[in-house]
Amino acid sequence: MAELSYREAVYRALAQEMERDDRVVFLGEDVARAGGVFKATSGLLERFGPERVIDTPISEQAILGTLMGAAMTGLRPVAEIMYSDFFGVCWDIVANQMAKTRYMTNGQVSMPVVIRSGNGGGLRFGAQHSQSIENWAMAVPGLKVALPSTPHDLIGLFAAAVRDDDPVIFLESKSLYATKDEVVDGEIVEPLGRARVVRSGADATIVTIGAMVYRAKDAAERLSREFGIDCTVIDLRTLVPLDVTTVLSSVAATSRLFTVEENPQLCGWGAEVVSIVVDEGFYTLDGPPVRISTPHIPLPAAAELEDQVIPSVDRVVEIIMKRMD
Amino acid sequence: MTQTTTPQLVETDVRLRLFERMVILRRFEKRVYDLFLQGFVKGTSHLSIGQEAIAAGFGEAMRSDDWTFATYRGHAHTLSRGVDMAPVMAELMGRAGGLMAGKGGSMHLTSVEHGMMGSYAIVGAHLPIAVGAAFSAKYRKSGQVAVCFFGDGTTNIGAFHEALNFAAVYRLPVVFVCENNLYMEYTAIHDVTAVEHPAADRAAAYGLERIIVDGNDVSEMYRIAQARLTRARDGYGPSLIEALTYRHNGHSRADPGKYRPDAEVAAWMERDPIPAYRERLEREGVTTQALDAIEERVSIAVDRATESAKASPPPPAEAAYRDVWSDGGWQWRS
Ligand SMILES: Cc1ncc(C[n+]2csc(CCOP(=O)(O)OP(=O)(O)O)c2C)c(N)n1
Ligand SMILES: [Mg+2]
């Protein structure tokens, strides 16, 4: 057991998989010598050498194209897209190429790639360096989507992603890099598609993911302490595959569903979760499912504005209290 | 700077194989066109009729474990890697016996066992992907080379620039082949490009040699392919070749290509790579009978492939749900 930051977990995750399998290589802008803009990959170059840890030009299409071509021919490459907003300049490779090639070729081609990226807001970076793009990825058949919320899950889900033969969009919440948690020693692997129950309560189910896990959990503590409302908090951990079973069985027990989502409102993953619960768990519900998300706006830069729009503990508490009346 | 290869004579049997390859591509695609007009080939199809020398020359020169990356105009490059006509024909017809069981279609022909690593329908996308295959070859020290074919229009998309620079920076074994057929879909390349030679004039920007070849001369294509594949295999990094050629048909489907001046079309028809090569072989002493025998053999093979494709049933409904994921299925929930 050791205390590890979410940032340090990135290094440990990559090192764990690169040590185990020399088909794993890692490419990205400023990731090798400089150790990444978030300093999450410092030391990898020294440990694994320039053939496996590679500084690239500012060429997101070439980075991801290289990832794909390498994966099709026997490697298990990992890339960093510095900020997930930058998926905008290489989305063709992700959505049209990586996601569809196995299918179009009738299973001839395997696509074991992992794309790590700093995702989400909270750092006052403004509208082009703060987006939560999980819904873009989730909307494309053929992509798996993981959002670890803890150092342990970051290592474990990353390991599963590297070992998976499908493309995985691996979104690290950049507001969490400095957070710390206890992490067990030795190899960690956490399967994709299994949610984690963060907290159990009988009155309502809060489904969340990524950085919002902490806000949902804090809100649940306060609801319990101050208002006697006891919530279950579920960290989905991956959006594709989506652990529908855990959500449905929790809602069957609590009869209420709330989602806490960092993404803008329209077509957020919560809409999919709500639709599934309404369709398959309608008669277990005692009230309307409620989505708590960032409103459908680009993210503003100023601290006061950003804090106002991304779901906060206060907002989650207030909405759940009101809607549980 | 131009290429520095010493020209070497192409041996006799290689010449016959080059001829046969071109005849295969030509006769196959002529049949595809007929079948399209008859409604057997559905959706779309982009023919390489007139451009066969490029695919034939490279197909002959490539090692069996080298990789081809092609565009939606990829029938010729697929056949030239030795893929059977019948499954390709069946794929174009959307049949169960298709190369990808009807799931890819004309624009996505792929046969990994033949090193045909895919046909890509988003302009420019496959250049960086070919770079990735080359990266893997270098990393694994396998001696394989990736060859990436694309059109003149593709030189104006950002992925071209990213891929060329990337390949040059890491000295990757990839040969980029620009098939300059003078047109994008319906617009002439010179109307929308800042330089005369869309690929060659940009080579210097990546520290590469300026190479322009006659893409309608199959022996020249074969020689340049050999030279550049060897160079890549020997660790000297990428090449960018601009091969001048012309498509006889329109861009796709039944496009009559009316945007091209008649005189230009006529001049290029005169330079059809197949009759030209046939005449040359005859001049060099290959018998008419030997060449006729090749044409006859190919013609029978195309008939057989057509019959076989027509006899193949449509894909079963469940095929739509296969191979989204590596477990063979499509399930997104757990
Ligand atoms: C990104 C993108 N833009 C536009 C198209 C539509 N399109 C398909 S083929 C084509 C022309 C390409 O011309 P060129 O690269 O010269 O290849 P050719 O068809 O002549 O072989 C265009 C514009 C596309 N498929 N992808
Ligand atoms: Mg063209």
Side-chain angles (χ1 to χ4, degrees), chain A residues 92, chain B residues 46-47 51 71-73 107 120-125 150-155 157 178-187 189 247 251:
Chain A
D92 171 56
Chain B
H46 303 74
L47 306 179
Q51 306 185 193
T71 70
Y72 48 86
R73 199 180 300 288
M107 296 201 284
Y120 296 80
I122 307 296
V123 164
F150 53 93
D152 43 279
T154 306
T155 62
I157 200 162
C178 175
E179 302 186 47
N180 183 359
N181 61 12
L182 309 185
Y183 288 83
M184 299 144 59
E185 290 192 49
Y186 315 124
T187 301
I189 191 66
R247 54 170 155 79
H251 169 72

Side-chain angles (χ1 to χ4, degrees), chain A:
Chain A
M1 212 64 152
E3 185 165 80
L4 212 62
S5 71
Y6 191 85
R7 170 182 288 113
E8 289 159 343
V10 173
Y11 172 87
R12 187 163 143 193
L14 272 156
Q16 175 184 301
E17 293 308 294
M18 294 183 77
E19 203 63 74
R20 189 185 57 83
D21 186 346
D22 63 13
R23 294 170 301 172
V24 180
V25 295
F26 176 52
L27 303 85
E29 294 160 16
D30 303 312
V31 299
R33 276 205 240 176
V37 286
F38 299 111
K39 290 281 170 279
T41 57
S42 299
L44 279 177
L45 172 66
E46 291 71 17
R47 182 152 166 200
F48 295 102
E51 253 115 65
R52 299 183 68 191
V53 182
I54 298 159
D55 278 325
T56 68
I58 307 165
S59 300
E60 277 76 8
Q61 294 183 69
I63 294 168
L64 295 192
T66 297
L67 214 65
M68 173 164 165
M72 289 168 75
T73 53
L75 302 188
R76 307 188 76 84
V78 178
E80 173 173 309
I81 294 297
M82 198 182 276
Y83 289 78
S84 62
D85 313 68
F86 308 165
F87 274 107
V89 300
C90 50
W91 198 236
D92 171 56
I93 301 282
V94 177
N96 285 324
Q97 313 302 337
M98 290 174 171
K100 295 174 172 58
T101 296
R102 176 188 297 279
Y103 184 83
M104 293 195 300
T105 63
N106 197 34
Q108 290 181 60
V109 169
S110 202
M111 201 59 64
V113 299
V114 182
I115 308 173
R116 300 179 39 239
S117 194
N119 189 56
L123 300 185
R124 315 344 183 171
F125 287 165
Q128 295 176 345
H129 285 71
S130 304
Q131 290 174 84
S132 295
I133 64 101
E134 52 271 25
N135 305 318
W136 304 1
M138 193 186 182
V140 180
L143 299 178
K144 293 180 177 171
V145 186
L147 288 86
S149 65
T150 66
H152 172 96
D153 281 355
L154 193 150
I155 299 166
L157 295 173
F158 181 81
V162 168
R163 299 173 196 199
D164 198 280
D165 283 330
D166 296 313
V168 181
I169 309 301
F170 194 82
L171 299 173
E172 296 163 11
S173 297
K174 51 186 178 290
S175 65
L176 297 181
Y177 280 126
T179 61
K180 290 189 169 169
D181 199 6
E182 293 287 314
V183 177
V184 293
D185 298 329
E187 186 181 84
I188 302 174
V189 186
E190 288 288 338
L192 304 177
R194 199 177 302 163
R196 183 171 62 97
V197 177
V198 177
R199 180 186 195 284
S200 290
D203 300 328
T205 299
I206 307 175
V207 179
T208 186
I209 197 163
M212 294 298 103
V213 169
Y214 297 94
R215 302 191 182 187
K217 189 169 165 241
D218 289 352
E221 301 296 347
R222 221 158 89 193
L223 284 161
S224 162
R225 219 171 36 238
E226 296 175 18
F227 305 98
I229 299 172
D230 225 1
C231 296
T232 291
V233 176
I234 296 174
D235 177 357
L236 288 171
R237 304 203 289 184
T238 63
L239 294 176
V240 183
L242 185 64
D243 184 354
V244 171
T245 311
T246 297
V247 173
L248 283 173
S249 64
S250 172
V251 174
T254 64
S255 304
R256 289 302 302 265
L257 170 67
F258 295 86
T259 66
V260 181
E261 311 165 44
E262 187 171 343
N263 45 256
Q265 175 92 12
L266 295 193
C267 302
W269 58 260
E272 194 57 57
V273 169
V274 166
S275 133
I276 291 166
V277 168
V278 168
D279 184 6
E280 299 173 35
F282 186 75
Y283 298 105
T284 68
L285 285 168
D286 265 354
V290 177
R291 291 178 59 206
I292 303 167
S293 77
T294 299
H296 208 61
I297 54 172
L299 279 182
E304 291 71 14
L305 296 179
E306 193 180 34
D307 288 343
Q308 171 190 309
V309 296
I310 296 176
S312 62
V313 175
D314 286 348
R315 178 140 64 99
V316 174
V317 167
E318 190 188 327
I319 290 175
I320 292 182
M321 230 206 17
K322 216 188 301 172
R323 302 301 298 260
M324 290 289 289
D325 250 0

